[in-house]
Amino acid sequence: MKDPRRYAAHLVDHYLGARLDAAGQAPGLRETVIDLVVTAIPDHVEPLMRMQLDLLTHPSSDRFPDAYLAEQAAAEDSLQKAAAGLRAALAQAGHLVDPQAFERGTAARLRDDSRSALRAELARVPRPLTRPKALEWSLDPVPWFSDSRQEQEPWPPFGLASVSGLRTLPEGTLAFARVDDGPHAGWVQIGLVERQRTPARRYPDQPARQVLITVGLETADDDPPTSTLPISRAPWQLWTRPLRRLAPGLTRAEAAAEHLSTTDQALVALTDAGTTPLIDTPRHRNGPGLPPYVLAPAASIVAVLGLEPTDGICGFSLSDAAGEALICRQWRGHLVHDGTYEPLLPSVAGADLIIRPDLFTRLHDTIGPSRCRAGLNVHHMTADRDDHISDDEG
């Protein structure tokens, strides 16, 4: 390897960047982690990575296996070793902190947390048919793809042209779909993200193709710019930690209600628990278990409705005094083959955000009917290779 330090810095930023940012970029921590990774590369990372890739992938494949690989393990181990001495290092630099509060807060930001992956499995459901009528054409998954040499269906799929260029649905919040049956019948779907993606194939020859759909509740006096997405960003811990602990300054219901009624914003957020960003960033390989997408409500919704994480073992769920109030569901499926010796791949992955109907009415009234928007963004893309497709290009 020509430049081990550059490679180590890439691993640290790729696997640990979000947690280091959350910890406030403690002085010297990133550099110390990189130093430890550099020392591990020749004796541990390189030989173990070669062995893992030999055992877990076919010789003709260039796809990384969905596994906890040596490079990620080295970065994680180095972070924990460096963080263990962080308080002592700060003390040597003249920064004295409360030991208990510092250790608790730092650990919460730097630890490798498996709860998001576990909750994602509990949140998985069969692919629901819930979506706005304008998107009913997308219910038939990847119609353009066939494992045989039969005539292919048209690309882009029929129906996509009817929403191409739309940034909001003209029916307003009436466009939001409602769950048809099951324990959440009547609940309103205020957020949806679904990717339909098929791999490039050499025989029969087919390019990689993708359709990405996003729907989300927004507040705005006018239609949002066409170049934006109806979705924001939020920490996934909104599902697990009360808002008063996660963001103490955002808990006042009156202030949150005023914010909703006066500020333009997306009220559905993509969290950092998912592995597939909606913006063009380097390929994520965050290990097994994490879903592609995890949605959450904006913190202002949590504050206005007085929601708390649901007690007990559950997926992504918030509750109020009347019971469950807001849920994120997950799905993956519709396996396809890429023509190699690799296992079948799920061509459809998605998540939605559903809210109890009485709370949707309350939220709608708080925002103001004239400011509620049903945001929409639909993109499609074709590429000669799978890794040429990014999730924000249409």
Side-chain angles (χ1 to χ4, degrees), residues 195-242:
R195 182 193 67 197
Q196 299 190 22
R197 186 173 188 171
T198 53
R201 291 187 55 165
R202 284 174 287 184
Y203 185 82
D205 186 35
Q206 294 174 353
R209 289 168 172 165
Q210 174 176 286
V211 170
L212 180 65
I213 298 168
T214 53
V215 177
L217 174 64
E218 296 179 280
T219 63
D221 290 319
D222 299 303
D223 285 346
T226 56
S227 60
T228 59
L229 291 169
I231 208 161
S232 60
R233 293 187 175 276
W236 77 271
Q237 287 86 354
L238 278 169
W239 293 111
T240 60
R241 299 178 65 187

Side-chain angles (χ1 to χ4, degrees), residues 50-81:
R50 284 195 294 268
M51 182 183 299
Q52 289 175 323
L53 296 178
D54 286 344
L55 293 174
L56 298 175
T57 60
H58 190 272
S60 66
S61 174
D62 59 0
R63 185 183 305 126
F64 271 76
D66 185 18
Y68 192 73
L69 300 176
E71 60 179 22
Q72 184 175 0
E76 186 64 44
D77 185 55
S78 298
L79 173 64
Q80 300 306 323
K81 287 180 179 178

Side-chain angles (χ1 to χ4, degrees), residues 131-132 135 169 175-177 189-194 213-218 229-231 268 295 351-353 373-378:
R131 62 193 59 203
L135 297 174
L169 291 169
F176 287 127
Q189 184 190 65
I190 60 171
L192 167 69
V193 55
E194 184 174 83
I213 298 168
T214 53
V215 177
L217 174 64
E218 296 179 280
L229 291 169
I231 208 161
V268 175
L295 298 178
D352 69 359
L353 198 64
R373 299 283 186 274
L376 173 72
N377 195 291
V378 180

Side-chain angles (χ1 to χ4, degrees), residues 19 24 38 53 62 170 186 188 244 254 272 280 314 323 340 362 372:
R19 279 187 279 162
V38 169
L53 296 178
D62 59 0
V188 184
R244 62 181 179 275
E254 298 82 1
D272 48 12
D280 190 14
C314 63
T340 69
R362 181 176 158 193
C372 284

